[in-house]
Amino acid sequence: MIDAVMPQRGEDKLSTWTLDNGMQVLVNEDHFAPVVALQVWVKAGAADELDPEAGVAHVHEHMLFKGTSRRGVGEIAAEVEGSGGRINAWTSWDQTVYHLVLASRHAEQGLDILADAVRNSAFDPEELERELGVVMEEYKRSQDMPGSRVFKAMFAKAFKQHPYGRPVIGTEESITGLDREKVLSFFDRFYSPGNMALVIVGDVKARKLRSVIDDLFGDFENRPVERPSRATEPAQAGTEFEALHMDVKESHLALGFHVPGANHEDVAALDTLAWILGGGESSRLYRKLVAETQLVNGVNTYAYTPADPGMFVVTASMDDSNLAATLPALLEQITPLLAGPVGADELRRARKNLQTDFIYQRQTVQGQAREAGYLLTVHEDLDFDRRYIERLDSLTLADLQRVARRYLVADNLTVVSLAPTGSEVALDKATAVEAARVLSVAVQSQADEKAEAEARPSAPSRSTTRHGSDTEPRLVTLDNGVRIIVQEHHEAPLFSIRAAMRGGLLAESKSDNGVSTFTAEMLTRGAGSLDREQLARQVETMAGELGGFSGRNSLGVSGSFLSASFDEGVDLFLDVLLRPNFPDDEIEKTRHELLQVIDNREDATSHLAFELAWRTVYPSHPFGMTTVGEKETVQAMDKAAIENFYRRALDPTSLVVSVVGDVQSDDVLERLRAALGELEAPADAFVQPPAADAPGVVQKVRKAVPREQSHVVVAWPGVDLHNSDRFALDILDAVLSRQGGRLFRELRDKRGLAYSVTAFHTEGMAPGLFGGYIATDPDNEQPAIDGLLEQLALVRTELVDGDELERARLYLLGSYDIALQTNGAIGDEMLFNELYGLGYLNGRQHAERMNAVTPEDLLRVAQRYLDPEKVTIAVVGP
């Protein structure tokens, strides 16, 4: 079996202890990158609330970083980000978690901030009033998201007694009714050290931190926690149904079955069943409903197993005309799990992927910390992962059938549909109950005796890292121009392999807009001797990932595999890169999928606002087009056009391949030389289009969409990757963005105009955009626009303070280190820097160039690029 138990990496060291006041402490030393994750887990969430205070746990997530007796409003975020870190929090039904990730040299400072926040939050009345307005904007944002509405409705319908039926964020009525008294009451009841766990993972020494932790948390007085009892949800007596309607283009359907909580012995089997049903492209639901019949646009399956009993969830999105047919089609794929055993190969594939997930998620200190916190506070057992993996290894086909027959039954089912307002598609409770009868019929059948007698499959061989030391990155250029970058990292038994070439929007015109995305989607729809299904099955049998990608500047292939599957993984990668088949039937299926995406654009309101801004700033340049294309161009695309585009893209003089991870460099170079060395350059290779003219006047554009919020983008043309001003613009972006940035402080903290507000800076081989974004109540639309323009105007007229500049600079430098924790991220950075002409080691100059930026540089670029007479204002909303 795969050894995935804490800690992950061979040299890591795990220490745990409990302070005298009952606070649990876990420190896992991981010295791969100079970063550390710090988390405080409070064992209280939305399910611990009383009905009149619904949403109060989530309000704490907002308020604890809003100021203490030592630090004023905005100072906590500014201090963390000035230490190169990020700060955030999340709330669930069972816990509230406050987390920092920052440069490890600032670990003690980060601990001081966390201790101050959880012990000394001020809950200033005026700040609380403003923040409750922000929470209401977050609630409205969730109401504009179909998936969020469906999830909340399903749990409300399924949990009529247990508090999991209340949404974590609360309701509009409960949020409006919250006040300081209710907030302080919840804090006093649950924010006690005996009800908390401190989790630290990263480049630190536990021995050195012990005294620091004791000084910061040791005198935190413990108080008894009187947790309200949670009502036990009665067994459901029949299929439940709820129908929702919303102004959207796409319909949604969710099925939920009651299942036990996180510590039940059946959880491993439920996770396995979820993976078999919808875990990948070889899964039953994806293969049948997406790839074969195209009845649905997307499908997902997971076992949600929190502390108390949860739900086995199946979700799907589809064209409205297919809503009624989707429910029986989903149930038709679930029924065989009850009537007979799954295939042995399905079980092996699911087991390996679930085991490998532990390795992938532990590539970052944040992922390790989140897992450790869950082990401490929910499982209350640091060895739970090992026991979970042992259960996976011991699962039989009979076990899966037994668990399916126990939980995936009609009386245990809740169905929620969401259809466009005015839809004439009939789906009601009577229809849902009738459709679910197939589950009852399957359960009444005799359990398959063959399944009961099935021998337990042997455990997979243990994955181990290869011997060898990490190496410096190495670039080799083949005679035909192909560039290969390889770097050995042996800390985890994984490797990433990427290939990128010129493509994306810069290789398109208005007549073939979307061809790069179409081509990228087609790369894994059949390659070499394998069709789509065979390719997906082989990748998932290795617990790997393989897919095409396309954006504004490039096209390529991305893969990640266990190092034990090096030969097989590289073979599949090269088949997809060099020998895609572009089969006719898959072209038609891909066309259908892309047309669905185009038809449903309006459902993603913020994305629509940015598309509108790009199109308005760059009306005659490829960057003004959408990456997915337009209906007319996608409908007209044929096999010849796709093959011709890829022939031109696969140009050895622009092809770059990176391989990073637990590999041997000589093996990599030998394989890739042989496979890529004979590629020939096309005579009609892509030529980059000329730069676009900048707008000369103020442009205001609006798209009316019925939503709870207005989404506003203000934008100007930016710079390309080869313009040295991009470093000053990056820092200016950071001055304005972040929780400690100007836009957040002024428009969210002080004025309460929004939940989501930020600046942005995009750049590529051609100039991108610089600007700001805010989502706000429609009644506050004009004040929000004025506020954005006001803050953006200030950086044109006043020098940014040196301390503010330094905080932004340190934030960017810290974010850079945080981002480069995985093989894929390291490989991508070198790959794209080389492809875009910056040099694969360009990242090593990042700090030097950031450190060279002055306040005068920020003023200069703001005055040059942020001309108020040439701004574009794009609004999407009611």
Side-chain angles (χ1 to χ4, degrees):
M1 72 181 178
I2 296 175
D3 186 6
V5 73
M6 292 284 293
Q8 175 201 356
R9 294 173 175 144
E11 298 302 317
D12 296 353
K13 181 180 179 182
L14 181 68
S15 302
T16 61
W17 67 95
T18 302
L19 302 183
D20 291 342
N21 57 15
M23 188 177 213
Q24 297 171 282
V25 181
L26 179 148
V27 181
N28 188 34
E29 300 179 19
D30 180 344
H31 304 289
F32 179 73
V35 295
V36 63
L38 311 172
Q39 299 183 351
V40 168
W41 288 62
V42 181
K43 303 174 194 176
D48 298 302
E49 299 164 345
L50 305 175
D51 285 337
E53 60 182 9
V56 72
H58 173 251
V59 171
H60 282 74
E61 167 196 322
H62 282 247
M63 288 301 298
L64 256 69
F65 293 141
K66 292 283 287 182
T68 69
S69 55
R70 292 170 50 200
R71 295 173 168 95
V73 176
E75 290 183 16
I76 288 178
E79 192 173 339
V80 171
E81 292 165 354
S83 301
R86 303 174 186 171
I87 186 170
N88 217 321
W90 77 81
T91 309
S92 72
W93 278 300
D94 300 311
Q95 60 271 139
T96 310
V97 183
Y98 303 90
H99 61 99
L100 282 64
V101 56
L102 69 170
S104 53
R105 63 184 179 276
H106 298 298
E108 294 184 17
Q109 182 183 3
L111 285 169
D112 181 74
I113 292 169
L114 268 183
D116 193 24
V118 300
R119 296 186 61 176
N120 306 312
S121 278
F123 299 108
D124 178 81
E126 292 184 4
E127 288 301 324
L128 176 60
E129 184 178 355
R130 276 192 289 268
E131 200 63 23
L132 286 174
V134 171
V135 172
M136 186 60 74
E137 288 302 315
E138 183 180 3
Y139 171 82
K140 291 177 181 178
R141 172 175 167 263
S142 72
Q143 290 297 97
D144 280 344
M145 302 165 65
S148 175
R149 282 198 182 188
V150 169
F151 184 87
K152 287 188 286 188
M154 182 175 66
F155 273 77
K157 199 71 177 176
F159 292 95
K160 295 183 173 64
Q161 302 296 324
H162 191 281
Y164 284 175
R166 291 194 308 252
V168 170
I169 197 171
T171 65
E172 185 170 3
E173 181 182 5
S174 69
I175 295 168
T176 303
L178 292 177
D179 56 26
R180 190 169 188 265
E181 181 180 353
K182 291 176 181 176
V183 172
L184 290 176
S185 173
F186 190 87
F187 183 85
D188 290 339
R189 298 197 317 262
F190 295 108
Y191 279 67
S192 177
N195 199 41
M196 296 180 178
L198 173 65
V199 177
I200 303 169
V201 178
D203 186 27
V204 295
K205 294 288 187 182
R207 175 179 49 81
K208 182 179 178 181
L209 290 181
R210 274 183 178 266
S211 61
V212 176
I213 293 168
D214 194 56
D215 288 343
L216 292 172
F217 293 96
D219 62 348
F220 189 3
E221 183 180 354
N222 194 30
R223 304 182 301 276
V225 173
E226 297 183 4
R227 198 178 306 275
S229 61
R230 299 182 181 182
T232 300
E233 189 67 30
Q236 198 164 298
T239 300
E240 295 281 359
F241 177 79
E242 181 83 13
L244 308 175
H245 290 84
M246 182 178 173
D247 285 310
V248 291
K249 301 291 186 181
E250 190 175 40
S251 290
H252 296 260
L253 189 65
L255 283 63
F257 300 87
H258 289 276
V259 294
N263 293 310
H264 196 277
E265 63 181 6
D266 287 340
V267 167
L270 288 165
D271 287 341
T272 303
L273 287 169
W275 204 96
I276 289 169
L277 268 177
E281 289 195 21
S282 67
S283 67
R284 295 185 176 196
L285 291 174
Y286 188 94
R287 191 173 68 244
K288 185 68 176 179
L289 274 63
V290 178
E292 292 182 16
T293 66
Q294 294 196 298
L295 185 66
V296 304
N297 303 328
V299 66
N300 187 31
T301 309
Y302 58 93
Y304 178 73
T305 50
D308 290 346
M311 296 284 278
F312 185 99
V313 179
V314 181
T315 63
S317 58
M318 72 293 300
D319 185 79
D320 181 47
S321 62
N322 291 333
L323 174 59
T326 298
L327 177 58
L330 290 171
L331 295 170
E332 184 180 321
Q333 296 303 311
I334 296 172
T335 301
L337 301 177
L338 287 66
V342 304
D345 60 331
E346 289 181 296
L347 172 55
R348 284 192 293 268
R349 197 158 56 244
R351 177 190 290 119
K352 188 165 186 177
N353 278 271
L354 290 169
Q355 290 175 336
T356 305
D357 280 347
F358 282 92
I359 298 175
Y360 280 117
Q361 72 187 15
R362 291 179 188 164
Q363 291 187 87
T364 67
V365 294
Q366 308 97 292
Q368 292 182 60
R370 184 162 188 160
E371 182 189 356
Y374 205 77
L375 292 176
L376 276 179
T377 63
V378 176
H379 297 303
E380 298 181 343
D381 178 9
L382 289 177
D383 202 42
F384 177 86
D385 284 355
R386 188 183 299 278
R387 292 189 292 103
Y388 174 89
I389 290 173
E390 288 173 351
R391 284 176 185 156
L392 282 177
D393 281 320
S394 65
L395 281 177
T396 66
L397 306 182
D399 291 330
L400 295 183
Q401 187 178 3
R402 171 186 59 79
V403 170
R405 294 168 69 91
R406 181 173 182 181
Y407 303 109
L408 306 186
V409 296
D411 286 350
N412 200 30
L413 170 64
T414 298
V415 179
V416 175
S417 67
L418 186 148
T421 301
S423 169
E424 297 180 357
V425 176
L427 187 58
D428 54 24
K429 182 169 184 177
T431 305
V433 170
E434 179 62 25
R437 287 186 66 250
V438 297
L439 300 176
S440 301
V441 173
V443 169
Q444 291 167 6
S445 65
Q446 183 74 24
D448 193 295
E449 295 183 3
K450 179 182 177 182
E452 296 291 349
E454 183 79 32
R456 294 186 176 183
S458 58
S461 59
R462 181 180 297 268
S463 294
T464 57
T465 55
R466 299 184 179 194
H467 296 293
S469 303
D470 293 354
T471 65
E472 284 289 297
R474 178 181 174 189
L475 173 67
V476 173
T477 303
L478 306 186
D479 291 342
N480 60 355
V482 174
R483 286 158 287 174
I484 302 169
I485 304 164
V486 60
Q487 184 173 17
E488 297 181 28
H489 282 163
H490 298 286
E491 286 76 10
L494 303 167
F495 74 96
S496 76
I497 181 166
R498 311 281 202 260
M501 61 202 85
R502 290 180 184 173
L505 287 176
L506 288 181
E508 296 179 1
S509 65
K510 287 188 181 294
S511 63
D512 67 354
N513 181 209
V515 65
S516 190
T517 293
F518 206 135
T519 303
E521 290 291 328
M522 286 297 303
L523 292 176
T524 52
R525 301 293 178 104
S529 62
L530 303 176
D531 63 23
R532 175 185 185 176
E533 182 180 340
Q534 292 167 334
L535 179 60
R537 186 179 295 115
Q538 287 206 19
V539 170
E540 290 165 4
T541 297
M542 294 185 284
E545 298 174 355
L546 184 62
F549 64 83
S550 177
R552 297 185 180 277
N553 306 273
S554 60
L555 168 71
V557 181
S558 173
S560 297
F561 299 94
L562 290 166
S563 50
S565 302
F566 174 79
D567 290 328
E568 301 93 329
V570 172
D571 283 344
L572 291 179
F573 175 86
L574 290 172
D575 272 346
V576 168
L577 177 66
L578 301 176
R579 292 174 285 276
N581 295 329
F582 303 121
D584 292 326
D585 60 334
E586 292 296 339
I587 287 176
E588 293 310 311
K589 290 178 181 179
T590 302
R591 187 193 320 281
H592 173 80
E593 293 168 11
L594 294 176
L595 290 173
Q596 288 295 313
V597 172
I598 293 169
D599 284 343
N600 299 327
R601 276 175 177 162
E602 291 185 7
D603 293 357
T605 322
S606 60
H607 185 71
L608 194 64
F610 276 96
E611 281 189 355
L612 183 59
W614 279 100
R615 185 164 65 248
T616 306
V617 174
Y618 294 114
S620 59
H621 187 273
F623 275 5
M625 302 186 297
T626 66
T627 54
V628 73
E630 299 297 337
K631 184 174 291 188
E632 297 77 13
T633 57
V634 172
Q635 284 175 333
M637 231 160 274
D638 58 17
K639 182 172 183 174
I642 295 168
E643 287 181 330
N644 186 57
F645 182 86
Y646 195 61
R647 176 190 60 79
R648 296 176 68 196
L650 196 59
D651 177 357
T653 64
S654 79
L655 179 61
V656 184
V657 180
S658 71
V659 182
V660 177
D662 185 31
V663 297
Q664 299 296 322
S665 297
D666 291 343
D667 294 346
V668 171
L669 293 172
E670 180 182 359
R671 292 293 307 279
L672 296 184
R673 273 197 185 102
L676 304 175
E678 300 303 317
L679 276 177
E680 296 182 0
D684 53 350
F686 296 131
V687 177
Q688 184 165 323
D693 294 330
V697 296
V698 173
Q699 303 181 97
K700 297 180 180 179
V701 290
R702 182 182 196 93
K703 183 170 181 61
V705 177
R707 291 291 182 271
E708 296 278 341
Q709 289 187 311
S710 292
H711 296 257
V712 178
V713 176
V714 299
W716 292 266
V719 300
D720 64 35
L721 286 164
H722 292 272
N723 190 318
S724 60
D725 283 345
R726 71 184 179 98
F727 301 103
L729 287 169
D730 279 343
I731 292 182
L732 188 61
D733 175 18
V735 166
L736 294 162
S737 299
R738 308 174 292 120
Q739 288 193 43
R742 293 187 179 189
L743 297 182
F744 194 98
R745 288 200 318 268
E746 292 295 326
L747 303 185
R748 175 170 159 163
D749 279 352
K750 293 184 179 180
R751 305 188 199 179
L753 288 173
Y755 171 73
S756 299
V757 58
T758 188
F760 59 88
H761 178 213
T762 59
E763 57 207 5
M765 292 294 288
L769 291 181
F770 188 99
Y773 162 79
I774 190 168
T776 189
D777 187 286
D779 290 340
N780 290 327
E781 182 184 301
Q782 193 57 50
I785 294 172
D786 294 342
L788 278 178
L789 294 175
E790 173 188 309
Q791 293 303 313
L792 290 160
L794 282 175
V795 295
R796 297 186 76 250
T797 57
E798 301 175 2
L799 280 174
V800 172
D801 177 79
D803 289 341
E804 189 178 14
L805 166 60
E806 188 62 16
R807 285 195 299 271
R809 188 196 334 266
L810 290 172
Y811 170 76
L812 290 174
L813 294 175
S815 296
Y816 181 82
D817 287 337
I818 292 166
L820 296 180
Q821 295 184 70
T822 67
N823 294 327
I826 294 167
D828 283 347
E829 192 217 23
M830 294 189 293
L831 177 86
F832 289 111
N833 279 339
E834 182 65 25
L835 177 65
Y836 298 152
L838 302 172
Y840 75 109
L841 295 179
N842 182 70
R844 296 189 175 183
Q845 303 171 34
H846 180 258
E848 178 184 347
R849 289 169 176 170
M850 287 293 180
N851 287 330
V853 174
T854 66
E856 290 74 18
D857 291 327
L858 299 187
L859 184 64
R860 175 182 56 79
V861 297
Q863 291 176 342
R864 179 173 182 180
Y865 298 104
L866 309 187
D867 186 342
E869 301 302 320
K870 299 178 181 179
V871 66
T872 293
I873 303 170
V875 181
V876 174

